Amino acid sequence: MNVYAVIPAVAIIAYIPLLVTTLSSHPRQRQHLYFAAFLGAAILWSLFDFFFRGNILPQYRIALWKATVISFTLMVAQFHVFASAFYEPGRGRWIPFGYLGFVLALILTSLNYIPENVYVDGEKLYPVYGKYVLIIAAPMLILTARGVYILIRRLKQVDNPVLYNQIISILAGIGILAVFACAAFLPFGREHPISHLGNAVNAFVLSYATIRHRLVDIKLIIRQGVTWISLAIMGVLFFWLLLIIFHSAFKVELDQVAFLATTVAAVITAVFIYLIRGYFFEFTNRALQGSLFNYRQQLREFTGKIHSIFSLREQGVELLKLLIKALNAEDACLMFPEPGETEDDFRTHIVEAPEGRQSRFAGMKLRAGNPVIKYLEKERKLLTREQMDVLPAFLALWPQEKEEIDRRGVEIFSPLISRERLIAILALGRKVSGRYSLDDFNIIEDVTSRVAVSLDKEFLAEQLREREAELSVINNSSVILSSSLDIQQIFSSFIEELKKVLDIAWATIVLIEDQEFKCVALSSPEGSAYQVGEKLPLEGTGTAWVVAQKRPFVEPDLSKGQYFITGKRFYELGLRTVVYLPLVAKGKAIGSFIVASRQPNAYSTRQIRLLEQLASQIAMPLENSLLYAKAEKRARIDELTDLLNRRSLDETIDNEISRHSRYGGVFTLAILDLDSFKKYNDTYGHPAGDRLLRKVGQIIRSSIRNVDYAFRYGGDEFAILLPQTHIADAQQVVERIRKNVANELKLGDISITTSIGVAGWPDDGVTHTDILAAADVALYYAKRSGGNRVYCASKVTFPSRRQEGTEGVHEGIDRRYFGIVHALSDLVDAKSPLTNAHSRKVRDAA
């Protein structure tokens, strides 16, 4: 077989898979059938030329050449049918005219006008087309020119990128066919089947770019095709040069057939090595890298698909996990810029360590201006621990920073560069065994260059999402803060909203009162350093500092340093980061907003700014709440004794009656009156009387429980309400108060004592009026019996109306008590429907 038959044979081998691929495409369109017809004609053309060039049937060489010409014109006609399917609607396709060249070829070859002759020179065949071939070429040239014109016009009108790519592909195919067909008329083209090489290229371009992969840019395919063809030509020429050198140097005899055969063998060998190179490298790497190979393969695959993961944390965690496994490192972290006042600090954002190991990189921070950051920004290559020890640039590294890097065991810093700027830093710890190799360095640099853009994009997106979340928190917090004047009620809701964007384990609001601060609101009382209402000395606390400076203060890690006397208390409760923020209203610092986390270095600069903004929002509603509380206190508290007033007594009795009626139980009401107070007031004056009343209030407060209520009833009268207390137990309490007053108020010649009346609910009265009246009557009898004693309502007897004029007046207040008794007697005379035991006693007495 002639060596010149190799190219048509290669074309046939290339056409058959393309034809099968085209016919198996689904859904199958009309263009697929047109293209399949074109490929079938191309296969026939290469097949006839293969037999002709191979001189396999020398007796039929003329007939084979005629069949070659006819199949070529049929292929051109089929290509015209395929290309005309992409003409704009309404444009004539000239299908019959397209087959004119095929018909003329049949006629002229039948009449033996084509070819004129075929010369044989050894194994070479030289066909002579003759002048009649121009008759066949004319309609094909007209079709080609018209087709190019129509497709170029269509190209300017289409907006669909798929159709645009297909038209570009067809124009490229027409150009390839025209160039290689014209080359067939040259002496070199008649001697060698060069036109088949062009047709194979054309078939591949059209099949790959237009049918199989319609979205692939044909310009890219052309560039790659030209590149590979150029490399192939250069390789063949270099191989021929080597053959010529060997021929001259070693007198190796090479005839033309051997020359071409060795060239083909070299090309096949090169293609084979190219195809198996990946498998060979994989086998070698797997053998040398062992278990690390699979992790490195996964890392390489991950870097190729990282752009499809739309979460910075997912990207970072997966990247660090694979890096740790692929490099056999102890731990790794990604540090991202944290906006500062002037330059950006870099702070650990994502940290990872092998399972079962605690990473030492949590909370690590590189401040702006650090030589490490400057080196990575300038050099844009990884930095090792050994380089930091020897390079002059790192002599400026502060001892604290150097100690921090050593303590955390950082071995490598690698920059991530995107848009010509440092967007993140990859920090790697020591290897579990051995040292980092040059291969490890190459992997790190390759990975960081691949993932930088995706990480940058997601970091910016995360910052945007966080900013939107912060704005949402600010807006929602404004609504919450304006919804109520109850500080504790709104604070819990406020902190729950704030936890959406910040790590908060504990928070409180404290207010300044003289040289103390008072806790007025807590996020949670459980495990708290303070309790609501608790007062502590102000000096030496973070609150004192921020109130004086009117700016926030951060304790980043209480395990390393405690700046205030409260630091030890916070640390014992498991808190690591504490932020103190001043509450400033109308230019005056009124207290502090304290936020804490169980993590060290828990808050970034931006988060501190958010807390500052929220603290400024808290201050004014807090001021309003305090003003409201003061106004409410003035309305409910007696200013002289600091006890609850008469209005509060009425409200409390109603509330206790309602509560005890619903849940069961009893309560006791006691009313106290000072004996000889008028005489004391007249003797020592009203200021002394006021001081006496204040002292009595203090004695009463110190003698009762926290759950009990003390009131100033009016004048020198006081009241005590004891919830869930039987009258016998209450009698012991008020007896203690009576003795304390008598013992502590021995003032001059005037003895200050108390008379106390006690009534129990519901035995001595069911309604608000009943219980007050019963206690008041008991008080009346205590005073009438000489004072300085306690009487219970259930043990008194009421005077009749006939005694009214004979008893006289006791210290100017007995007439009021007689009025109460008379009112109760009138209720009995009117047959008022009193139902309790005390009412029956009143009726009997009346």
Side-chain angles (χ1 to χ4, degrees):
M1 183 182 71
N2 194 318
V3 71
Y4 299 111
V6 172
I7 295 179
V10 171
I12 293 172
I13 295 172
Y15 291 153
I16 292 175
L18 296 176
L19 179 62
V20 173
T21 302
T22 303
L23 293 176
S24 62
S25 297
H26 294 285
R28 190 178 301 162
Q29 301 175 358
R30 183 176 300 176
Q31 285 91 337
H32 293 79
L33 298 177
Y34 293 158
F35 189 74
F38 158 71
L39 288 176
I43 290 174
L44 285 176
W45 177 42
S46 296
L47 182 63
F48 288 132
D49 196 67
F50 168 77
F51 284 108
F52 174 74
R53 298 285 179 179
N55 202 17
I56 297 174
L57 301 172
Q59 66 275 24
Y60 298 110
R61 63 169 63 100
I62 297 296
L64 289 173
W65 184 247
K66 290 180 179 181
T68 302
V69 173
I70 293 171
S71 59
F72 172 77
T73 57
L74 178 62
M75 182 194 67
V76 172
Q78 292 301 135
F79 184 73
H80 167 70
V81 173
F82 167 66
S84 64
F86 294 88
Y87 288 0
E88 59 187 353
R91 178 72 66 171
R93 297 176 62 188
W94 290 17
I95 299 298
F97 188 78
Y99 286 99
L100 180 60
F102 172 67
V103 174
L104 291 174
L106 284 174
I107 296 172
L108 292 175
T109 53
S110 299
L111 297 176
N112 294 322
Y113 290 115
I114 296 177
E116 285 187 356
N117 199 357
V118 175
Y119 293 103
V120 180
D121 183 8
E123 293 184 352
K124 296 181 180 179
L125 300 178
Y126 293 91
V128 179
Y129 295 102
K131 57 185 178 180
Y132 293 101
V133 76
L134 297 176
I135 299 175
I136 301 174
M140 293 191 293
L141 290 174
I142 294 172
L143 282 176
T144 301
R146 182 174 181 270
V148 170
Y149 172 76
I150 293 173
L151 291 175
I152 290 176
R153 282 177 56 90
R154 182 77 192 280
L155 196 64
K156 296 178 180 179
Q157 299 171 358
V158 297
D159 296 325
N160 187 342
V162 175
L163 182 58
Y164 183 91
N165 187 51
Q166 291 173 338
I167 295 174
I168 289 288
S169 303
I170 293 170
L171 287 172
I174 292 174
I176 293 171
L177 274 179
V179 170
F180 282 90
C182 292
F185 290 94
L186 300 175
F188 183 81
R190 291 200 306 270
E191 179 182 352
H192 303 91
I194 192 170
S195 56
H196 289 274
L197 179 61
N199 198 33
V201 173
N202 177 53
F204 172 76
V205 168
L206 291 177
S207 178
Y208 184 78
T210 306
I211 303 299
R212 183 65 175 173
H213 298 283
R214 59 178 184 167
L215 297 180
V216 176
D217 189 356
I218 187 62
K219 296 177 182 178
L220 175 63
I221 295 174
I222 293 174
R223 288 198 302 269
Q224 293 179 345
V226 170
T227 301
W228 282 108
I229 291 172
S230 300
L231 288 174
I233 292 173
M234 290 172 61
V236 169
L237 292 176
F238 181 73
F239 180 74
W240 286 351
L241 177 62
L242 290 177
L243 288 179
I244 293 172
I245 293 173
F246 289 159
H247 174 70
S248 301
F250 303 106
K251 306 303 181 181
V252 177
E253 295 296 333
L254 290 174
D255 57 13
Q256 192 173 22
V257 174
F259 201 79
L260 292 176
T262 53
T263 301
V264 172
V267 170
I268 294 174
T269 302
V271 172
F272 174 74
I273 292 175
Y274 176 79
L275 293 176
I276 69 167
R277 76 194 189 289
Y279 301 102
F280 183 77
F281 285 137
E282 179 179 345
F283 174 79
T284 305
N285 290 333
R286 189 183 294 275
L288 296 176
Q289 295 175 4
S291 60
L292 297 180
F293 176 79
N294 291 331
Y295 295 130
R296 295 186 176 185
Q297 191 71 18
Q298 293 174 20
L299 181 61
R300 190 176 296 107
E301 293 173 358
F302 172 76
T303 58
K305 65 179 182 180
I306 188 173
H307 61 275
S308 62
I309 302 175
F310 300 103
S311 166
L312 179 65
R313 176 151 296 277
E314 290 181 13
Q315 287 183 346
V317 168
E318 186 66 19
L319 173 65
L320 295 181
K321 283 182 178 179
L322 292 174
L323 269 174
I324 287 174
K325 293 177 180 178
L327 300 174
N328 199 22
E330 290 184 351
D331 45 12
C333 76
L334 282 172
M335 308 176 72
F336 286 89
E338 178 185 87
E341 294 182 1
T342 54
E343 299 180 79
D344 290 348
D345 301 336
F346 277 78
R347 179 171 174 268
T348 297
H349 198 83
I350 302 171
V351 65
E352 191 64 36
E355 189 173 350
R357 187 191 296 269
Q358 184 69 30
S359 175
R360 292 173 291 180
F361 290 166
M364 186 169 64
K365 185 176 182 179
L366 296 176
R367 298 191 178 277
N370 188 297
V372 173
I373 297 178
K374 291 183 177 180
Y375 179 89
L376 297 176
E377 286 178 333
K378 181 180 178 181
E379 302 297 333
R380 299 186 178 183
K381 59 183 181 182
L382 61 80
L383 173 67
T384 65
R385 186 68 188 82
E386 289 80 1
Q387 288 175 309
M388 283 188 280
D389 291 334
V390 299
L391 292 179
F394 296 98
L395 294 177
L397 196 64
W398 290 1
Q400 298 91 333
E401 295 174 325
K402 187 175 182 180
E403 182 184 350
E404 178 80 357
I405 293 173
D406 290 339
R407 183 177 64 82
R408 295 185 183 273
V410 181
E411 283 293 309
I412 294 175
F413 288 108
S414 181
L416 281 83
I417 306 297
S418 175
R419 297 180 295 169
E420 300 300 318
R421 63 184 183 85
L422 181 67
I423 61 101
I425 297 174
L426 169 67
L428 290 166
R430 301 182 183 92
K431 294 199 72 168
V432 175
S433 60
R435 298 169 59 87
Y436 286 102
S437 65
L438 183 60
D439 186 33
D440 294 331
F441 292 164
N442 292 335
I443 291 175
I444 295 169
E445 291 178 341
D446 179 61
V447 168
T448 53
S449 65
R450 288 171 175 266
V451 303
V453 174
S454 295
L455 290 174
D456 184 27
K457 180 181 68 174
E458 288 307 316
F459 177 66
L460 294 175
E462 183 181 84
Q463 284 188 312
L464 180 60
R465 288 192 294 267
E466 288 181 356
R467 185 55 184 162
E468 290 175 349
E470 289 172 0
L471 290 174
S472 175
V473 167
I474 291 172
N475 293 334
N476 294 340
S477 298
S478 299
V479 174
I480 292 171
L481 292 171
S482 61
S483 63
S484 173
L485 292 173
D486 186 337
I487 300 173
Q488 181 57 46
Q489 177 185 349
I490 64 174
F491 190 67
S492 299
S493 301
F494 170 73
I495 293 301
E496 287 302 317
E497 188 69 23
L498 191 54
K499 284 182 178 179
K500 294 179 180 179
V501 294
L502 294 177
D503 174 26
I504 298 178
W506 179 79
T508 185
I509 290 177
V510 298
L511 298 179
I512 305 299
E513 293 185 359
D514 298 327
Q515 293 303 311
E516 295 181 321
F517 67 80
K518 178 182 178 181
C519 175
V520 297
L522 277 176
S523 59
S524 174
E526 297 179 2
S528 173
Y530 310 138
Q531 293 299 322
V532 174
E534 182 179 1
K535 291 185 177 182
L536 294 169
L538 182 62
E539 186 178 357
T541 65
T543 298
W545 193 94
V546 298
V547 166
Q549 302 296 325
K550 292 185 180 179
R551 57 191 178 93
F553 188 90
V554 181
E555 290 187 286
D557 192 348
L558 294 178
S559 65
K560 297 180 180 178
Q562 299 167 8
Y563 296 89
F564 307 112
I565 60 175
T566 51
K568 182 179 180 181
R569 190 173 184 181
F570 290 152
Y571 183 64
E572 289 174 351
L573 292 170
L575 302 177
R576 296 286 295 276
T577 304
V578 182
V579 182
Y580 300 88
L581 302 119
L583 297 172
V584 181
K586 300 177 182 178
K588 179 182 177 182
I590 61 174
S592 70
F593 173 36
I594 307 175
V595 174
S597 170
R598 301 190 187 280
Q599 301 298 325
N601 300 291
Y603 305 116
S604 65
T605 302
R606 187 181 67 190
Q607 291 172 328
I608 300 298
R609 290 174 180 169
L610 172 64
L611 288 172
E612 283 187 80
Q613 186 172 357
L614 292 172
S616 65
Q617 283 185 272
I618 294 173
M620 189 52 66
L622 190 59
E623 178 76 1
N624 295 336
S625 179
L626 292 175
L627 293 174
Y628 173 78
K630 289 178 181 179
E632 186 179 32
K633 180 178 179 180
R634 283 195 296 269
R636 297 174 57 84
I637 302 296
D638 176 65
E639 294 184 0
L640 179 62
T641 62
D642 206 27
L643 300 180
L644 296 169
N645 58 20
R646 171 61 186 271
R647 172 188 171 188
S648 299
L649 174 62
D650 294 336
E651 293 177 356
T652 304
I653 291 176
D654 288 338
N655 291 338
E656 290 301 313
I657 290 174
S658 175
R659 186 165 69 89
H660 286 78
S661 298
R662 185 180 302 112
Y663 301 110
V666 297
F667 69 86
T668 301
L669 176 68
I671 298 180
L672 295 75
D673 185 86
L674 297 181
D675 303 325
S676 306
F677 177 73
K678 184 177 184 304
K679 181 178 179 181
Y680 182 87
N681 219 19
D682 293 341
T683 303
Y684 297 104
H686 291 288
D690 290 344
R691 288 193 294 272
L692 177 64
L693 293 175
R694 237 185 329 262
K695 181 63 176 176
V696 172
Q698 293 173 0
I699 294 172
I700 293 173
R701 255 199 318 270
S702 64
S703 303
I704 62 176
R705 303 170 301 179
N706 291 334
V707 295
D708 298 333
Y709 302 92
F711 308 87
R712 186 182 179 192
Y713 194 34
D716 61 336
E717 293 179 304
F718 298 86
I720 303 171
L721 193 148
L722 300 96
Q724 296 293 340
T725 305
H726 291 277
I727 196 165
D729 298 326
Q731 193 170 359
Q732 296 178 10
V733 175
V734 297
E735 183 65 27
R736 183 170 62 247
I737 293 173
R738 184 192 66 79
K739 290 179 181 179
N740 290 340
V741 170
N743 294 333
E744 296 184 27
L745 297 180
K746 294 179 179 179
L747 305 171
D749 298 333
I750 302 174
S751 177
I752 302 299
T753 57
T754 60
S755 297
I756 307 175
V758 182
W761 184 93
D763 292 339
D764 298 323
V766 175
T767 66
H768 179 125
T769 305
D770 289 346
I771 191 70
L772 272 174
D776 221 2
V777 170
L779 172 62
Y780 164 74
Y781 268 90
K783 293 190 72 68
R784 292 292 292 168
S785 300
N788 194 23
R789 65 195 62 205
V790 178
Y791 262 82
C792 296
S794 59
K795 297 179 180 180
V796 302
T797 57
F798 291 88
S800 66
R801 284 178 181 270
R802 293 186 297 274
Q803 294 175 314
E804 180 181 351
T806 62
E807 292 296 326
V809 179
H810 178 64
E811 296 189 28
I813 63 171
D814 296 72
R815 190 178 305 278
R816 177 170 63 82
Y817 288 100
F818 275 120
I820 295 173
V821 174
H822 293 161
L824 292 172
S825 299
D826 290 339
L827 289 173
V828 174
D829 292 340
K831 298 182 179 180
S832 176
L834 300 176
T835 58
N836 57 64
H838 174 64
S839 300
R840 288 192 294 272
K841 292 177 182 178
V842 172
R843 184 183 300 114
D844 295 338

